[in-house]
Amino acid sequence: MDIIIYGIINSVSLTLMALGFTLVYGVSRLPNFAHGALYVLTGYITWLLMNRLGLNYPLAILFSLCACAGIGAAMYYFILVRVRGMPISEIIASYAIGLAILEGLRWGGLKGGTFVLPPFIQGSTELFGISVDFHRLLVVGAGIILVAALWLFVNGTKIGLALKGMAQDERAALTLGIDSDRMAIVAMALGSMLAGVAALVLLPLGNIVVEAGYHVLIMAVAVCIVGGLGSWTGAILASFLIGFAQILTVSYLGTHFQVVVALLAIIITLIWRPSGLFGWQKELEERV
C-alpha cells in the first residue's frame, strides 16, 4: 500500500515538473532547457520576498509567479526568437540561459539548507495504515486541479484555442491570422509559470538548492520523451510509469537509483519507440 500511495504522489509530482516543458514544446516546438532554472528561481524569489522584504506568503507567491512568467516571455522575445527553427541552437541557447541562472544563484549564495519554503499545511494523517504528510496530499490535489484548469483553458478560451491550433498545425494557424511569435511568447510565459507553480508546490518538501534545477530538467525531459514530445496525454501517462518505477526502485534498491530510472527510460524509449508513447512524429521519418 505504501508503494501505491507514494507512487501516486511521486507520479503527480513528475506531472507538475513536466507540464510547462510539454506546453512550450507542444505549441512552439521549442525545447526550453531553462525549465529547471526557472523552477529554482521561482522558489528563491518567493523566499527573498518573504524573508527580505517581509511580504506574506500569498503575495510572495503571486509576485514570484508573475516574475517567472515575465522572465520566460523575455527569454523568448530577446533571445530564443533569433534561433527559432534551428533545433541545436534552440537547445544550446535555452540551456545556456538556464545554466547562467542556476550558477548565478549559486555564486550569489544559494547553497546549503537555509533556504526553505514553509509547507501550506502542517501535520500528517494515515491512509490505509500509511503515514502521509498533508502537504503531499496537497501535491496530488494541486496536480489534478492544474491539469483540469489547463484543459479548460486550452479548450474554452480564445487564447487557449489559438495555442491548440498552433500545436496541431502551425501553417494552418498562420493562414487564419494567428501570430506564431505572439503565441510562442504566451506559451513561454505560461510554461515558465507552470514551472513556478511546480516549484511552489514541491519545494516545501525540501530545500531550495541549485541541484534541484538540474534534477527537475532531467525528470521533465524524461517524462516528455517517454510520453512523446508535445503530448499532454503522453506526459501524464509517462509520469505514472516513471513515478511508480522510481518508487519500486527506491523500495528495493535505494534512493540514489531514482535518476538512473529516468535515464534508462529515456534510452529504452529512444531505442524502442523514438517518438514516445503518444509522439506526433512518424517512425519512418525519424529512422530515415
Side-chain angles (χ1 to χ4, degrees):
M1 187 56 67
D2 60 337
I3 290 175
I4 293 175
I5 292 174
Y6 282 96
I8 292 173
I9 294 170
N10 190 47
S11 301
V12 175
S13 299
L14 291 178
T15 301
L16 288 170
M17 293 178 191
L19 273 180
F21 191 95
T22 303
L23 173 67
V24 174
Y25 187 85
V27 172
S28 60
R29 297 292 179 257
L30 176 69
N32 180 20
F33 275 71
H35 183 79
L38 295 170
Y39 174 95
V40 175
L41 184 61
T42 304
Y44 185 58
I45 291 174
T46 304
W47 187 89
L48 286 177
L49 292 174
M50 292 175 60
N51 293 275
R52 293 290 186 265
L53 299 182
L55 294 182
N56 59 40
Y57 207 179
L59 275 179
I61 287 174
L62 178 62
F63 284 129
S64 63
L65 288 178
C66 291
C68 190
I71 292 170
M75 281 170 47
Y76 181 85
Y77 185 79
F78 292 106
I79 301 174
L80 298 179
V81 68
R82 304 180 186 280
V83 296
R84 189 176 178 191
M86 298 181 284
I88 300 300
S89 298
E90 291 172 347
I91 293 173
I92 293 173
S94 60
Y95 185 72
I97 295 170
L99 194 65
I101 292 173
L102 288 175
E103 295 308 318
L105 291 175
R106 192 197 301 275
W107 178 79
L110 184 60
K111 55 184 73 172
T114 58
F115 302 92
V116 181
L117 294 179
F120 295 140
I121 305 176
Q122 299 283 352
S124 61
T125 186
E126 284 197 1
L127 290 178
F128 304 100
I130 306 300
S131 179
V132 185
D133 298 342
F134 283 129
H135 191 90
R136 283 184 166 82
L137 296 178
L138 181 66
V139 169
V140 177
I144 294 171
I145 293 172
L146 187 60
V147 170
L150 276 175
W151 186 88
L152 291 173
F153 171 76
V154 169
N155 292 279
T157 66
K158 186 177 180 179
I159 295 177
L161 290 171
L163 292 173
K164 188 175 181 179
M166 288 294 299
Q168 291 177 348
D169 192 330
E170 183 174 354
R171 291 185 178 180
L174 289 172
T175 62
L176 295 174
I178 297 175
D179 190 320
S180 175
D181 285 331
R182 184 177 299 174
M183 289 300 103
I185 291 174
V186 172
M188 276 293 295
L190 285 176
S192 302
M193 186 177 289
L194 288 173
V197 170
L200 295 172
V201 173
L202 298 175
L203 283 177
L205 298 173
N207 299 326
I208 305 172
V209 291
V210 170
E211 289 72 21
Y214 298 110
H215 175 78
V216 167
L217 177 60
I218 291 172
M219 294 303 161
V221 170
V223 166
C224 292
I225 288 178
V226 174
L229 286 168
S231 171
W232 289 18
T233 303
I236 294 172
L237 179 58
S239 296
F240 277 82
L241 291 175
I242 297 174
F244 273 92
Q246 286 182 329
I247 293 300
L248 288 169
T249 303
V250 168
S251 300
Y252 294 105
L253 296 178
T255 57
H256 51 284
F257 284 100
Q258 275 190 313
V259 177
V260 175
V261 170
L263 295 176
L264 281 176
I266 293 175
I267 295 170
I268 292 171
T269 301
L270 292 177
I271 294 173
W272 171 62
R273 186 179 173 83
S275 62
L277 298 175
F278 290 87
W280 59 275
Q281 298 97 335
K282 296 179 181 178
E283 297 290 335
L284 180 61
E285 290 177 353
E286 289 182 350
R287 295 181 188 278
V288 173

